[in-house]
């Protein structure tokens, strides 16, 4: 007896015609039937139907018909808003920018840093509009500066190409107003305190003493970060924003694992890195390079690409490997970063809390305290490598403590290095090693000497209650 109900699932009310209809609309039973069904489905290649419409707004055509990635699902407007939403979520959920901050954006001229600069500008414009709209003008607007590191002396870039690149960068920054932004163009050899000629000579000699190709590239990257930190500290910036994206982090994860830097890896892949004097923020951590490059093409954002020396070391091999994986599976880079993100972070992977004595509005302090991420589990580290500033593990700390007994500065410097820098960067023979240590920038030398004394004192204070006195040790 049929129940004559359209919601009944017992099939008691269906007749023969309904059974035929059910068979036509039922899902395929296996993969072969699913493939056949996909082939039989009509594909609208003219855009008259809904197959090429944006997945989000359902009104505009998609950027591409591949169906892979955000460009294959969204139109240009929704694609841009989706990228900006990722950026804004990273900034707000990790308290990267506060109204009272002065932010320095590291601009290399590439698509990633160009998008980061554009998004920061849009945040600043919105804050400036709110400031103009407020009655008492009490709302602060964070300041923005732009830093570009000239690596001509290290990478042998032709002078006419560098002059053209600097003109383009100046044009890009000048068009991002109001509010106006100060541009800092600094040579990478500025990490030395001597005159310009001696700086370039010291930098060339320093790089020439490194025989390993990978070590030379890594050392140049560390010097670049020191230059950015110097610009930030000398000009009063308290935030440093870099355009590091998912693609670059995925390559760094693989290369660091190959180099034996697994212990310090969690320090380099978080949204915030506060082990530096000026905390470093990664607002594009959730965006892949392909999407950022496409956004530059869609919005017509100017970029600068200089022909630098190609490296054939570990970093170059890993980049080729990850690029091949990304071609096979467009989500492979994101998978690598998400997997590495499960590692326990260090306690400095967040913006430091504001001091109560600072002249900062109470609302800003409350906002940072509310939005600043808090890691449930974190690793505490008091010792850092003098070159790459990576946290040192137990074996490296033991080496450091053994070198502290030596009065020679060279032994102290070589003892404050992580195992990866000792293997990749530090020369093997004693003569080249002494020359290399004598050519290190003053900031690296000061960090090594200060770290060797400060870290040992800090470690002793932590374990003081567990140490035996001289009388107890004799008995």
């Amino acid at each position: 007896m049929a129940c004559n109900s359209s919601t009944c699932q017992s099939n008691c009310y269906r007749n023969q015609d309904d059974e035929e209809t059910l068979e036509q609309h039922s899902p395929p039973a296996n993969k072969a039937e699913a493939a056949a069904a996909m082939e039989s489905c009509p594909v609208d290649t003219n855009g008259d139907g809904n197959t090429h419409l944006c997945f989000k707004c359902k009104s505009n055509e998609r950027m591409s018909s591949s169906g892979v990635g955000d460009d294959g699902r969204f139109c240009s407007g929704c694609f841009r808003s989706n990228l900006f939403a990722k950026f804004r979520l990273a900034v707000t959920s990790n308290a990267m920018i506060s109204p009272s901050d002065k932010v320095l954006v590291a601009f290399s001229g590439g698509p990633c840093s160009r998008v980061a600069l554009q998004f920061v500008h849009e945040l600043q414009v919105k804050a400036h509009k709110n400031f103009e709209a407020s009655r008492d003008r009490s709302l602060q607007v964070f300041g923005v500066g732009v830093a570009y590191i000239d690596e001509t002396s290290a990478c042998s870039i032709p002078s006419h190409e560098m002059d053209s690149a600097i003109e383009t960068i100046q044009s890009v920054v000048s068009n991002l107003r109001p509010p106006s932004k100060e541009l800092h163009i600094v040579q990478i050899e500025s990490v030395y305190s001597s005159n310009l000629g001696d700086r370039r000579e010291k930098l060339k000699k320093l790089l020439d003493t490194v025989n390993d190709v990978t070590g030379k590239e890594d050392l140049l990257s560390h010097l670049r970060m020191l230059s950015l930190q110097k610009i930030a500290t000398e000009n009063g910036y308290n935030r440093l924003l870099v355009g590091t994206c998912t693609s670059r982090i995925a390559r760094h994860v693989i290369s660091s694992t190959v180099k034996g830097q697994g212990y310090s890896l969690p320090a380099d892949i978080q949204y915030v890195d506060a082990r530096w004097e000026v905390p470093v923020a990664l607002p594009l951590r959730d965006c892949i390079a392909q999407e950022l490059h496409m956004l530059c093409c869609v919005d017509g954002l100017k970029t600068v690409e200089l022909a630098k020396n190609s490296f054939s070391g570990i970093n170059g091999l890993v980049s080729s490997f990850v690029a091949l994986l990304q071609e096979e599976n467009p989500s492979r880079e994101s998978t690598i970063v998400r997997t590495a993100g499960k590692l326990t972070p260090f306690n400095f992977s967040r913006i430091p809390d504001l001091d109560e004595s600072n002249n900062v509005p109470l609302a800003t302090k409350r906002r940072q305290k509310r939005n600043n991420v808090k890691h449930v589990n974190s690793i505490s580290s008091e010792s850092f490598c003098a070159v790459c500033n990576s946290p040192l593990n137990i074996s490296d700390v033991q080496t450091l403590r053994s070198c502290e007994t030596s009065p020679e500065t060279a032994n102290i410097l070589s003892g404050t290095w992580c195992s990866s820098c000792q293997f990749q960067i530090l020369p093997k023979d004693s003569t080249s090693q002494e020359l290399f240590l004598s050519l290190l920038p003053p900031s690296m030398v000061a960090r090594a000497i200060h770290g060797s004394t400060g870290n040992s004192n800090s470690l002793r204070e932590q374990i003081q209650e567990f140490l035996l006195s001289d009388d107890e040790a004799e008995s």
Side-chain angles (χ1 to χ4, degrees), residues 132-314:
E132 295 290 341
S134 61
R135 294 181 179 179
D136 55 355
R137 301 292 180 90
S138 61
L139 297 176
Q140 292 180 292
V141 180
F142 64 92
V144 177
V146 184
Y148 177 77
I149 305 301
D150 183 358
E151 303 178 11
T152 305
S153 57
C155 300
S156 301
I157 302 174
S159 58
H160 66 278
E161 292 186 10
M162 179 56 64
D163 294 338
S164 176
I166 291 178
E167 291 180 1
T168 304
I169 292 171
Q170 291 174 343
S171 174
V172 168
V173 177
S174 62
N175 291 332
L176 295 177
R177 62 176 59 186
S180 61
K181 298 167 182 60
E182 186 176 0
L183 175 61
H184 308 272
I185 300 178
V186 178
Q187 288 78 16
I188 193 171
E189 59 267 23
S190 64
V191 292
Y192 294 100
S193 56
S194 55
N195 58 61
L196 182 59
D198 293 340
R199 292 177 184 177
R200 293 182 177 178
E201 190 66 23
K202 286 184 178 181
L203 179 62
K204 290 181 179 180
K205 289 182 179 180
L206 179 67
L207 295 176
D208 290 340
T209 55
V210 182
N211 298 323
D212 188 81
V213 178
T214 304
K216 185 175 297 186
E217 184 179 2
D218 292 345
L219 178 59
L220 188 62
S221 177
H222 304 328
L223 294 175
R224 187 183 305 119
M225 177 55 71
L226 286 181
S227 300
L228 292 172
Q229 288 288 321
K230 185 177 180 181
I231 296 174
T233 54
E234 291 180 351
N235 294 275
Y237 295 97
N238 63 337
R239 294 287 187 276
L240 174 60
L241 264 65
V242 297
T244 305
C245 62
T246 301
S247 304
R248 185 172 179 180
I249 295 177
R251 286 157 173 77
H252 181 73
V253 168
I254 304 298
S255 61
S256 296
T257 305
V258 174
K259 299 172 188 176
Q261 296 176 334
Y263 176 79
S264 61
L265 177 60
D268 303 327
I269 62 175
Q270 307 299 328
Y271 290 95
V272 175
D273 183 3
R275 59 185 148 162
W276 302 92
E277 184 176 357
V278 178
V280 180
L282 283 67
L284 298 179
R285 182 182 180 272
D286 298 326
C287 306
I288 64 175
Q290 182 181 0
E291 297 174 348
L292 299 175
H293 177 74
M294 188 167 297
L295 181 62
C296 290
C297 297
V298 172
D299 286 1
L301 302 178
K302 291 184 179 180
T303 58
V304 177
E305 295 292 342
L306 295 174
K308 298 182 180 180
N309 299 332
S310 58
F311 293 95
S312 58
I314 294 176

